[in-house]
Structures are given as structure tokens and as C-alpha cells.
Amino acid sequence: MKKIHLLLFAAASFILTSCLEIKSTLIVSKDGTATIEESVLLGAQLAAMMQAGGGQSDQLKGLVMDKAKAEERAKKLGEGVTVKSHEEVKSADGTSGVKIVFAVADLAKLKYVPFEPEQEGKPASKSEPMTFALSGSTLTITNPDADKKKGGVIEKPKKSAEEFAQIKTQMSMMKPMFAGMHMAVELKGAGGIASSDATHQSEGTISYLDIQFEKLMENTDAFMEVMESGEGGMSMSEAATKFSEIEGLKIEGKKVVTVELK
């Protein structure tokens, strides 16, 4: 889950003049099988910038996987995981991207790390995968990275009133760049969810991470605090508690979550 942690607190690196939607949904069946639906959708401008290469756009290339990269990811997800489908998506408004569905033959062997882009010249993710145990209709999800801090704490001087005013003005100008920007990691039951002790659940969907940047940016103080906290060595658990009341941001901070499947 550390990769999600990095995406959350380094989200400013994706500030480009176009929409971006990244979503990973794990759908669990009571027979111990599952599917993972992952999609990355880019606005027309962002897609063009990524194709041109260079700068921040290179960070997205590992997320938009071709069929070969999807097959490689399937192997990393665990024994018995295969690519069920790989579909390139393109709409009339210029939005494009990819949707991949992975088939999981045995949930107990799944090693789930959502959003694990590969970048040339950089080491592979050291995130510990989420694991799953199914007993009857009771699913237990363990996220080893939940209580692990990102790194050493970096003390930063408090911003002056003038600096804060400048940032607030810049954020106002940047809001259009965040239109449609959304990142989410979800879990569903194939037949529905009867109950769960997960922090965020609605209509049969459990949210492990949900960032709606347009809503988040409505609160300038909160947005700045979320972005800066990435350099403070904060764990997912600590972040979930600290930002629990912020609109547009959901984080599951529990290391172990139990779900009763229908």
C-alpha cells in the first residue's frame, strides 16, 4: 500500500493541464476467486504530453500498460493471476486510456499492490502487498503497509502570511487543471457485502483510497496540509486519522479489515 501512499502525497507531480482518472477495483467471490479491474483515463492534452515524453509525464507511462506490461503485472500479482482482457479506451471528447481486467484463480495467493508504475532507471516498488484470507463468507484483508511510516521526518519552516497568500492565489489558478482528476482503490463483493468494519463503505463498495481533487482543493488549508504531510513520515493509519474529516479524501488506515460477503 506504500505505492498508494506515495501517489497520495506526491499527487502534485501529476498537475498537468488535463483530467486524469486512475482506478483499481478488486471484486471478490465467495468461491475464493476474484477479478481486478484497473483503468487509467487521460484527457486529450495529458495524453498528448505523455506521448511526447519528458518531464512529469514520464511518471504516468508505467500506469498506462500495453498487453505485454499487463502480463508482467499479472505475474507480480501472484500465482494463478492472468490477464482476462485488455482494452484501449477512447471517447468522443478525446479522453483515452486503458482498462485491464485480471482474473484471480486463488484469492489466498493474491499479492495486491494497486498502482505500481515502473519507471526507467528507478528501483522497483518495495511495497508489501495486501493479502487476503477467506473462511466461509468471511474475508480478512491485511495491509502490512498501513502502519508503516514513509520515511524520515523533514522539518519545514512555517509559511509566512505572504507565502500563504501567494499559494492560495496559485491554487485558485490551478483548480481547472484538477477538473476530473480522481484516484480510487475499491473492494466489492461479487454478490454484495453484508457487513464490514471498514472505515469507508457505501452501496456495497469499500474505499481503501479515494481522492477527488476538485473537492479537496475547495479547502486550501487542508489541501496544503495533505500535500506537505507526505514529507513528514506519516503512515497511512496516521493520515487516515488526521484527514478523516476532509471532503474529497478517503483513506483506510486499518491494518486488518474484515468483510462479510453476501
Side-chain angles (χ1 to χ4, degrees):
M1 202 71 167
K2 188 178 289 186
K3 179 54 65 176
I4 296 178
H5 196 187
L6 294 174
L7 278 171
L8 172 62
F9 294 119
S13 66
F14 293 117
I15 298 174
L16 298 168
T17 53
S18 188
C19 71
L20 168 64
E21 182 174 342
I22 307 173
K23 190 173 184 180
S24 183
T25 304
L26 175 62
I27 305 171
V28 179
S29 299
K30 291 174 72 173
D31 64 1
T33 63
T35 58
I36 302 172
E37 299 178 355
E38 295 192 330
S39 61
V40 179
L41 300 177
L42 313 172
Q45 289 177 305
L46 181 51
M49 293 174 71
M50 191 186 72
Q51 188 172 9
Q56 294 170 328
S57 63
D58 284 345
Q59 298 180 51
L60 297 176
K61 287 185 176 180
L63 288 171
V64 185
M65 293 178 285
D66 57 20
K67 185 68 179 293
K69 289 292 184 182
E71 296 285 359
E72 290 179 18
R73 173 154 169 71
K75 293 177 182 178
K76 291 181 180 179
L77 286 169
E79 182 183 343
V81 179
T82 58
V83 178
K84 184 176 181 180
S85 65
H86 179 283
E87 176 188 3
E88 291 187 3
V89 180
K90 192 165 186 177
S91 62
D93 65 359
T95 301
S96 62
V98 64
K99 179 178 180 180
I100 305 167
V101 179
F102 298 94
V104 181
D106 186 351
L107 189 65
K109 296 179 180 178
L110 176 62
K111 301 175 181 179
Y112 183 48
V113 180
F115 311 145
E116 200 171 21
E118 293 183 359
Q119 297 183 43
E120 291 185 11
K122 293 190 177 182
S125 168
K126 294 183 179 179
S127 300
E128 287 194 59
M130 297 169 65
T131 57
F132 307 83
L134 185 62
S135 177
S137 60
T138 303
L139 174 67
T140 302
I141 308 162
T142 302
N143 172 24
D145 276 346
D147 55 3
K148 292 183 179 178
K149 294 181 180 293
K150 180 185 172 186
V153 176
I154 300 176
E155 294 292 338
K156 296 182 104 179
K158 291 186 178 181
K159 291 180 172 56
S160 65
E162 183 179 350
E163 288 175 322
F164 184 83
Q166 290 176 343
I167 292 173
K168 194 170 183 178
T169 299
Q170 291 170 354
M171 284 181 61
S172 179
M173 296 173 62
M174 285 161 47
K175 281 184 180 180
M177 301 180 186
F178 284 90
M181 186 171 177
H182 184 206
M183 295 181 184
V185 177
E186 303 174 341
L187 183 141
K188 298 181 179 181
I193 292 176
S195 62
S196 175
D197 61 358
T199 307
H200 304 286
Q201 51 184 312
S202 176
E203 299 180 352
T205 298
I206 293 172
S207 295
Y208 261 83
L209 177 75
D210 193 291
I211 317 174
Q212 300 180 52
F213 284 86
E214 286 181 272
K215 289 185 179 180
L216 184 58
M217 288 192 72
E218 292 299 321
N219 187 333
T220 303
D221 292 351
F223 182 85
M224 289 174 59
E225 194 171 10
V226 169
M227 292 299 112
E228 291 185 349
S229 65
E231 298 179 352
M234 189 176 292
S235 68
M236 291 291 287
S237 180
E238 291 170 331
T241 300
K242 185 176 181 64
F243 304 122
S244 62
E245 302 299 323
I246 294 180
E247 185 74 16
L249 178 61
K250 296 176 183 178
I251 306 172
E252 179 54 74
K254 292 181 179 178
K255 186 172 183 176
V256 178
V257 169
T258 302
V259 180
E260 192 67 26
L261 301 172
K262 286 184 179 180

